[in-house]
Amino acid sequence: MLNSSPKARARVLALGAAALASALVLSGCGRSSDTAAASTVTVDDKPATGTVNFWAGGDDGAKLPQLVKAFEQANPGVTVKVTQIPSDQFDTKLQTAISAGTVPDMVYLYSQTQTTMLSTGAFAPVPAGLVNTADFFPSLEKATLVGAVPHAIPWYAYANVLYYSKDLADKAGLQAPTSWSSFQSFLDGLQKAGATKAIGMDIGYDTYSAQALDSYVRQAGGQLISGDGTKWTINDPKAVEAAGFWGSMFSRGYASPDSPTFVDTVSSFTTHKIGSVVSGPWFPGWLDSANGTGWSAQHLGVAPVPAGPGGSISSLGGGSLAVLKDAKNADAAWKLARWMSTPQAQVQWYGIFGNLPANKSAWNDQSIAGNPLLGPVKTAMDTAALAPAVPTWSQVGTIIGKQLERVARGQASAQTALDEAQRQADAIGTGAGK
């Protein structure tokens, strides 16, 4: 792909996280309210000093020095050493460092694998009073908890929305769909207007396919996991209904089970090989990079995902900042995390890298609030939900993704596929409450 994104980076992270999740289950590790103690550390307002070793995956690591330069200027006695780790190696290298006791001071965790990593017990609780947790989107803040104690600070956020070809929609006289029923007729109209396939689906058949299904399940009014996080409910009737709706995209011919692959989405959208896609707010930037600045504003339509019986609920994602228990310079690391969590720093990061803020007030900045393509994203943030925040999600999500391929290819019904996923997930458990 032309540029990296939270999803592109985290897609490969999920592969390593599956193995990590398996190891955690076998060792009996899990999140529990009785295993997390609140921090007794106090972080003052004095300038930070010393060296902060900061690990970041993918292209973030290449760009972060531009951001932290301002922190170093405000704190002349500190040096922030950013180490860029390849995305497909990040979780593995961090787990190895944790096991060896040679950890960095601070890391940047992705929401898709964050719960699994925090379950290692290697991360320090956030010092009381360091930040105001109410400043952040609630779902992202909830995902930082071990028990009831925050162990990370939300850093960036996104919600998936429906992007569609405005050219094809205008040609067919279509309005953006608002419900499942209007979604089907909308896709039919895009295809009749010239799209080879009306929608590009997530056909990695992996954790991200499962995360897409999780959104449909929530739209149907259900969940893939019990409210207390201790039992999988993958073959619940609402989940089966959602998987059937997901599968209908393929059985009706609106989507292909083989294309476009993730890296081909931009070219496929540009050439009308697909007429729409559910993606994150980086997608317009990708299109502009491929087709010229301003292309998205002219050719791209955007709307919240269509609502099912349970409402319009899409995938929520992002990243968080965490400090290791064995950090050599925890004080300076927490001061850096506090600074990076401010609206000013998060708006600056949006300008540098394009990641949207986890701090809600930062969305009032004109660079974000004034972008019409981001309006539906902000609307979606209010209802979007994270995938199940339990240690084994990466492992179970992969199982669900593989079963969804059978549905997409017409090899199994939604009921049969989810029954099998439920059977395998029950054998694994959630990793919570132990």
Side-chain angles (χ1 to χ4, degrees):
M1 187 55 72
L2 296 171
N3 294 307
S4 71
S5 74
K7 185 169 183 178
R9 294 188 301 268
R11 176 180 293 279
V12 286
L13 282 175
L15 300 176
L20 174 59
S22 179
L24 287 170
V25 172
L26 291 173
S27 64
C29 294
R31 286 158 65 107
S32 174
S33 59
D34 60 7
T35 61
S39 175
T40 58
V41 172
T42 300
V43 178
D44 58 36
D45 293 326
K46 296 178 182 178
T49 59
T51 298
V52 177
N53 286 300
F54 185 3
W55 283 12
D59 288 351
D60 300 76
K63 297 289 188 179
L64 275 168
Q66 296 182 40
L67 177 71
V68 300
K69 183 178 180 180
F71 179 76
E72 291 175 323
Q73 291 173 341
N75 298 265
V78 75
T79 298
V80 180
K81 181 182 178 182
V82 178
T83 300
Q84 182 181 14
I85 307 292
S87 293
D88 59 347
Q89 301 175 27
F90 187 86
D91 278 3
T92 302
K93 283 185 175 293
L94 182 55
Q95 178 62 13
T96 299
I98 290 170
S99 299
T102 55
V103 298
D105 297 303
M106 178 175 168
V107 295
Y108 172 8
L109 299 175
Y110 300 111
S111 62
Q112 289 81 4
T113 57
Q114 177 173 297
T115 302
T116 301
M117 294 306 302
L118 292 180
S119 296
T120 62
F123 295 87
V126 178
L130 186 76
V131 296
N132 183 357
T133 57
D135 289 344
F136 308 102
F137 289 101
S139 293
L140 293 175
E141 174 61 25
K142 182 179 179 181
T144 69
L145 302 180
V146 178
V149 180
H151 278 63
I153 300 172
W155 163 229
Y156 76 87
Y158 66 87
N160 285 346
V161 291
L162 176 68
Y163 292 103
Y164 61 91
S165 169
K166 191 159 57 175
D167 301 337
L168 295 179
D170 290 347
K171 180 180 177 181
L174 300 171
Q175 298 295 319
T178 58
S179 65
W180 278 9
S181 59
S182 63
F183 194 19
Q184 298 276 11
S185 58
F186 179 79
L187 295 178
D188 187 64
L190 289 179
Q191 209 146 298
K192 290 177 179 178
T196 305
K197 293 293 182 182
I199 187 168
M201 301 288 281
D202 195 318
I203 55 170
Y205 306 121
D206 54 11
T207 305
Y208 278 93
S209 303
Q211 186 173 359
L213 177 64
D214 180 64
S215 294
Y216 283 108
V217 173
R218 293 174 188 272
Q219 291 165 30
Q223 293 191 77
L224 292 175
I225 197 169
S226 62
D228 63 1
T230 61
K231 295 180 180 179
W232 293 108
T233 55
I234 296 168
N235 63 350
D236 177 85
K238 292 292 185 182
V240 174
E241 177 186 2
F245 182 74
W246 181 90
S248 72
M249 307 296 179
F250 302 93
S251 63
R252 290 173 179 260
Y254 298 140
S256 166
D258 297 303
S259 64
T261 60
F262 186 71
V263 296
D264 296 327
T265 306
V266 167
S267 60
S268 295
F269 189 93
T270 302
T271 59
H272 293 164
K273 290 181 180 178
I274 58 172
S276 64
V277 65
V278 175
S279 188
W282 53 84
F283 191 59
W286 284 1
L287 290 169
D288 282 356
S289 293
N291 302 303
T293 301
W295 191 94
S296 293
Q298 185 175 356
H299 299 283
L300 188 64
V302 57
V305 296
S312 174
I313 303 172
S314 67
S315 297
L316 180 70
S320 298
L321 304 169
V323 173
L324 282 296
K325 282 183 177 178
D326 292 336
K328 291 183 173 62
N329 193 357
D331 181 74
W334 282 124
K335 288 175 179 178
L336 174 59
R338 178 173 60 191
W339 178 83
M340 290 177 67
S341 74
T342 63
Q344 296 81 3
Q346 295 198 356
V347 169
Q348 186 179 351
W349 182 235
Y350 169 71
I352 292 171
F353 196 68
N355 280 350
L356 289 162
N359 191 309
K360 293 180 290 185
S361 63
W363 284 69
N364 296 325
D365 188 87
Q366 185 59 28
S367 65
I368 300 173
N371 185 337
L373 292 176
L374 292 178
V377 178
K378 179 62 166 63
T379 299
M381 291 289 293
D382 293 332
T383 57
L386 288 163
V390 293
T392 61
W393 168 246
S394 295
Q395 190 177 11
V396 171
T398 299
I399 291 169
I400 294 171
K402 290 178 179 178
Q403 291 302 315
L404 286 176
E405 181 172 14
R406 299 173 65 205
V407 176
R409 298 190 184 281
Q411 298 170 350
S413 68
Q415 183 73 62
T416 299
L418 294 194
D419 282 347
E420 177 58 23
Q422 180 75 47
R423 184 190 68 80
Q424 294 185 47
D426 283 343
I428 296 168
T430 68
K434 293 184 178 180

